[in-house]
Amino acid sequence: TVTPSEMSQWKWCDFCSVYQPPGGAHCPDCNVCIAGYDHHCVWMGTCIGKKNYRQFVRFNVSWLYYLGYVFFWLITFGPLLKGR
């Protein structure tokens, strides 16, 4: 439950007609209010906020790992395949 002193920190969202928690914001792309709103990620197709920030970081680490993997193979075996 939220105490009255905590409730004074919450903002009213005119679009959703709900109270936003501190740090929350309305996403115009998804048309919802997100707690701990960071940004709307077009690659994941969702808003990044408090509840899915860890998955967003994992997503970025995974594609960076894959990119490094591809460059490793290109640098290692690319010259060998070019000589054929």
Side-chain angles (χ1 to χ4, degrees):
T1 62
V2 180
T3 64
S5 63
E6 292 173 338
M7 194 63 179
S8 66
Q9 298 174 353
W10 289 49
K11 299 180 293 183
W12 179 257
C13 177
D14 292 326
F15 298 106
C16 296
S17 299
V18 297
Y19 282 101
Q20 297 173 349
H26 183 83
C27 177
D29 296 317
C30 295
N31 201 29
V32 294
C33 287
I34 305 294
Y37 180 77
D38 188 58
H39 69 284
H40 181 85
C41 179
V42 295
W43 304 110
M44 292 181 70
T46 187
C47 295
I48 307 303
K50 183 179 179 180
K51 291 187 178 181
N52 66 347
Y53 195 77
R54 184 179 300 168
Q55 289 83 359
F56 174 68
V57 170
R58 287 181 182 168
F59 171 75
N60 284 324
V61 169
S62 69
W63 74 261
L64 286 171
Y65 175 77
Y66 177 71
L67 187 64
Y69 179 78
V70 168
F71 279 127
F72 169 77
W73 281 99
L74 287 174
I75 291 168
T76 304
F77 295 108
L80 296 175
L81 296 174
K82 187 177 180 181
R84 286 184 160 184

